[in-house]
Amino acid sequence: CVLKASQKRRPLSRLLEQLLRNLEKRDPNQFFAWPVNDNFAPGYSTIIKRPMDFSTMKQKIDDNEYKSLNCFISDFKLMCNNAMKYNKAGTVYHKAARRLLHAGLKQLTPQKLRPLGNILT
Ligand SMILES: COc1ccc(OC)c(-c2cc(C(C)=O)n3cccnc23)c1
């Protein structure tokens, strides 16, 4: 019985991919899908020292860069906080970031994650 490629992935990677898919659903406009481009966001790369977006998080999962769930959650928070730093309150991006952060962290509570068993220990 040969395991499919996805089944060969490390348990943490498979969990993080599932969590990432659920977080991406909270970004219907795909504002967080790709790195923010300075051409659309003037001065972005001078204001935001550590950019983050969902595609970068996906690549980090594939490269096994996340050693824990907490590292993954930190990048999610970084991505949302970057948007709330660069974009003024009241803008579509600031509001989208607040909503995404709130909805995302609700999905990442211990109560929601406990059913996934000892994978997180
Ligand atoms: C209007 O359509 C898009 C499409 C992709 C975007 O970022 C990947 C953004 C975008 C995303 C952001 C963020 C997340 O700060 N942003 C800030 C200023 C101007 N544009 C953006 C907007």
Side-chain angles (χ1 to χ4, degrees):
C1 159
V2 178
L3 283 179
K4 293 199 296 286
S6 62
Q7 287 173 318
K8 284 180 188 153
R9 300 297 304 278
R10 301 172 184 196
L12 180 63
S13 298
R14 289 178 63 192
L15 167 70
L16 295 184
E17 283 185 354
Q18 180 64 43
L19 294 177
L20 186 65
R21 278 194 296 273
N22 290 340
L23 294 173
E24 288 172 325
K25 288 175 193 160
R26 303 296 184 140
D27 175 32
N29 297 303
Q30 297 207 306
F31 292 154
F32 300 91
W34 308 104
V36 179
N37 186 319
D38 268 50
N39 298 323
F40 298 106
Y44 192 87
S45 54
T46 56
I47 296 166
I48 299 300
K49 299 306 176 195
R50 289 178 56 221
M52 187 49 61
D53 68 282
F54 283 136
S55 72
T56 302
M57 293 177 70
K58 176 71 170 82
Q59 191 59 55
K60 287 179 74 171
I61 293 172
D62 294 346
D63 297 344
N64 292 317
E65 279 191 53
Y66 290 119
K67 300 308 175 192
S68 71
L69 171 63
N70 283 338
C71 297
F72 174 83
I73 294 173
S74 294
D75 270 356
F76 172 69
K77 288 178 179 174
L78 170 66
M79 180 181 73
C80 297
N81 287 324
N82 284 344
M84 290 189 282
K85 178 180 179 184
Y86 175 82
N87 303 284
K88 300 272 180 291
T91 59
V92 66
Y93 304 117
H94 190 282
K95 287 189 281 191
R98 271 178 50 139
R99 287 179 52 193
L100 176 60
L101 181 63
H102 180 73
L105 291 181
K106 272 172 51 177
Q107 289 179 9
L108 299 167
T109 56
Q111 292 75 9
K112 284 285 176 68
L113 294 170
R114 189 170 297 119
L116 300 165
N118 64 357
I119 182 176
L120 301 175
T121 52

